[in-house]
Every structure is written in structure tokens, then in C-alpha cells.
Amino acid sequence: MYSAHQDGYEHMIYRRTGNSGLKLPLLSLGLWQNFGDYDPISNQREILRGAFDMGITHFDLANNYGGPAGAAEKNFGRIFKEDFQTYRDEIVISSKAGYHMWDGPYGEWGSRKSIIASCDQSLRRMGLEYVDIFYHHRPDPETPLEETAEALSQLVRQGKALYIGISNYNGRDTKNMYNILRKKEVPFIIHQMRYNMFSKELLEEELAPVLEETGLGAITFSPLAQGLLTKRYLHGIPEDSRAHRKEIPFLSEEQVTPTLHKIKLLQELAETRNQSLAQMALAWNLRQKSVTSVLVGASRLSQLQESVRMMDHLSFSKEEEQKIGKILQS
């Protein structure tokens, strides 16, 4: 029987999500990869237990996470039932709908039919009565925002979600969704978007002013740029890296090669801060005023333990900010 460490909360920092009352840990655990049927359940259990012991109280999922789709929620549900059921009120669990999940016209996007069905399926897989945050995973260009918003509103009214979020929306649609849900008095509190040193335009140039105006919080994914902002690429592109795998759409040799000299310079700067490159990259996310939490994945517990140590040095001097800016522009 798992018993959580009593001092876990003492070693974590929690931030309020925008103007809401919900606090999230600076680091949240994403279950996109490494929690499917092809990954040892014992390793998944070790990571989840270790995360909670370190004060990581937020576990982020989606209907299509895992391998195959749905496996991450199923496996999480099994571990939750066996290890975390007594800690339910100490944990924030999120899921999403929007990407392809099942065949036919209702298995993806943002129709009311799709969103309601997907949420019900997710709750069954995880064995939960509700999720704390339910996201629309991506904007649907063919469904009116009003219909998607009404589906999300229904989930709250039915007690299936406490809070609502969106992911991958641009600034205009974020503002429009906020206005619609505000009139419905729906607790829409958070936006989840890609953000890292090599992909920063969406948040910094488009979403930041909207988030400040609306009081929405942000949670960022891919903070390490699929492994680029780690020691993995310091000496070139490894043969077994994601950049050599065609099924990974976010990385390619063409995308990676121009960044290699920048990675080395960033590593040198991280060393002057007594941090690893990955720790500095995570802290860099959190310097943004709107960012409540950063989502990280882990294939083993030691990776998560290293990530948490980024809290030892969160601040950046003006000189460091300028150096990073010059490196990224070089």
C-alpha cells in the first residue's frame, strides 16, 4: 500500500492560475508519452508516486494519450485506484478532447457530440467521477465557438469538470471563447500552449496580452523542445534521437541542425548558473508572468527529480536575459 511522503508540499512552489483560486505546482507531470501499453506499468507507478512525493499534484492527460490512444488514461486509472484514491482531494487531474480518438465524424474536433462523448469515455477509463480541468485540445475551424463553449459549459453543470481550459488557440479565438464562457458563468481559467526557447512567438507575441486582459493562466508544454534543450544534442544529433524518427512531427534533422550551436552556448550559460541546460530551460518558462506551471514528461523518475531541482534558481538577471536573447537570434 502506497503512503505518500508527509513533507512533499514543503519542497514544491504553487502558483495561482490566473485570477482563479486554483493553485498548481510549478512543475506538472504530463502523461503524453511513457504511460501507454508499451511502457512497463511498474515504471509508470514509480514515476507517479515519485512525482506526488515531490509535491507535484497535477497530472495532465488527454483522451488520445498513450500507445494506443486511451492507454494513458486507462493505466493512470488503474494506478490511481490502487495508490491514489485516498489522495483524490490533493490531486488535480486534467484531460482533453479534440484530436482524433475514434472512427467516424464524431471522434475528433469540437462538436458538442464529440466533446461530451469524449469526456464520458475519459472518466470511465480513469474510473473518476470528475476531472479538475477539462480542455478543448485544439480549435475546430468548422464548429462555431458557441457550440464548443456550450459543450464545455454542460460538463461543468453536470459536475464532470470543475474548471475549463483550452489548448493551442490563437489570441483572437482565446478572447472570443473567454467572452462566451464568461456570459455563461463558466470557470474558464487556463490556456495550455507550446512554449520554449525555440518556439515562443504564440505566447509572447499573441497570447500574453490576451491572458493579462482576461486573467487567464497559462500552462506550457514542450518546454524542452522535444529534448533539444537538454544535454542530448550537445555533441550533434544522436542516431537514436527523435530527430531521426519520422513519426515525430516536431523534430527533423533540418529543424535541429541550425540550433546545435545555440544549444552549446545555452549550455555554457546554464553552467554559470549552476544548472543543467534542461533546468535553465524550465526556469526560463516560469519567468513569464502568465505561466502558472510547466508540463514535463518523464521516462524515468530520475529525470523528474532533476527537473524539480530547477527551483533552486528560478530568477534571471537582466544580463542573462540579454545573453539568451542574443543566443537565440544568432
Side-chain angles (χ1 to χ4, degrees):
M1 174 68 81
Y2 166 65
S3 180
H5 290 180
Q6 297 298 312
D7 61 349
Y9 297 120
E10 298 176 10
H11 304 293
M12 179 54 63
I13 299 171
Y14 301 88
R15 284 183 179 175
R16 197 172 300 278
T17 307
N19 291 340
S20 78
L22 182 67
K23 291 183 178 181
L24 295 179
L26 291 190
L27 283 184
S28 297
L29 180 61
L31 277 66
W32 177 29
Q33 297 174 331
N34 308 309
F35 287 84
D37 286 346
Y38 314 122
D39 305 284
I41 196 74
S42 59
N43 189 54
Q44 298 177 40
R45 188 187 306 276
E46 181 182 29
I47 293 171
L48 287 166
R49 286 181 173 184
F52 192 56
D53 285 340
M54 290 185 285
I56 296 175
T57 54
H58 179 209
F59 301 138
D60 181 74
L61 299 103
N63 57 355
N64 63 331
Y65 285 0
E73 289 183 329
K74 180 193 68 176
N75 290 333
F76 175 79
R78 170 183 168 182
I79 297 170
F80 173 84
K81 181 179 180 180
E82 295 171 357
D83 289 353
F84 293 101
Q85 204 150 16
T86 58
Y87 300 104
R88 178 64 183 98
D89 294 336
E90 300 179 47
I91 296 173
V92 172
I93 301 169
S94 59
S95 192
K96 315 176 192 73
Y99 281 97
H100 183 267
M101 184 61 190
W102 66 88
D103 292 337
Y106 318 119
E108 60 181 329
W109 296 112
S111 72
R112 186 170 182 171
K113 168 73 172 175
S114 178
I115 287 175
I116 299 299
S118 182
C119 183
D120 287 343
Q121 292 175 19
S122 291
L123 292 175
R124 286 196 296 269
R125 278 191 291 268
M126 292 187 285
L128 300 175
E129 294 180 357
Y130 68 94
V131 290
D132 298 277
I133 306 172
F134 193 82
Y135 292 90
H136 186 219
H137 208 163
R138 61 172 174 172
D140 181 348
E142 297 184 353
T143 297
L145 279 180
E146 289 80 4
E147 178 176 342
T148 300
E150 178 55 29
L152 297 171
S153 175
Q154 180 176 327
L155 295 178
V156 173
R157 293 197 304 268
Q158 292 177 335
K160 296 174 182 177
L162 301 185
Y163 300 94
I164 292 301
I166 58 175
S167 182
N168 301 305
Y169 274 58
N170 62 28
R172 182 196 63 214
D173 287 342
T174 298
K175 180 68 179 297
N176 289 339
M177 181 64 87
Y178 170 81
N179 288 332
I180 295 168
L181 288 175
R182 185 180 183 184
K183 290 179 181 178
K184 295 176 180 290
E185 299 184 342
V186 174
F188 171 34
I189 67 168
I190 194 165
H191 191 304
Q192 185 175 135
M193 77 290 290
R194 180 187 307 277
Y195 183 61
N196 57 61
M197 291 179 176
F198 296 136
S199 181
K200 51 192 175 68
E201 292 75 19
L202 177 61
L203 175 56
E204 294 187 2
E205 298 178 9
E206 186 169 350
L207 285 172
V210 175
L211 298 178
E212 183 173 0
E213 179 185 354
T214 59
L216 294 170
I219 183 169
T220 59
F221 66 86
S222 195
L224 303 181
Q226 296 292 309
L228 279 181
L229 292 167
T230 69
K231 62 183 179 181
R232 184 120 170 90
Y233 290 86
L234 285 177
H235 305 291
I237 304 175
E239 286 298 321
D240 62 344
S241 69
R242 293 176 177 178
H244 281 303
R245 293 166 56 185
K246 294 182 179 180
E247 69 271 20
I248 303 293
F250 309 111
L251 291 180
S252 69
E253 289 190 55
E254 293 74 18
Q255 292 172 306
V256 170
T257 300
T259 70
L260 294 179
H261 75 284
K262 300 178 184 181
I263 293 169
K264 292 179 181 179
L265 292 173
L266 290 169
Q267 169 66 21
E268 292 173 4
L269 178 57
E271 290 173 357
T272 68
R273 290 168 50 85
N274 296 314
Q275 286 183 312
S276 69
L277 174 56
Q279 289 166 347
M280 184 178 77
L282 293 171
W284 185 86
N285 266 240
L286 289 161
R287 87 199 195 292
Q288 280 287 339
K289 180 180 179 181
S290 61
V291 174
T292 302
S293 182
V294 179
L295 278 166
V296 294
S299 59
R300 55 186 183 275
L301 180 57
S302 60
Q303 292 176 331
L304 200 57
Q305 291 168 333
E306 179 187 353
S307 295
V308 166
R309 287 196 292 273
M310 64 91 187
M311 292 192 302
D312 294 340
H313 196 167
L314 286 172
S315 62
F316 289 83
S317 67
K318 288 185 178 180
E319 183 182 4
E320 288 172 333
E321 290 262 14
Q322 291 171 352
K323 284 183 179 180
I324 292 173
K326 289 181 180 179
I327 292 171
L328 296 179
Q329 292 174 2
S330 65

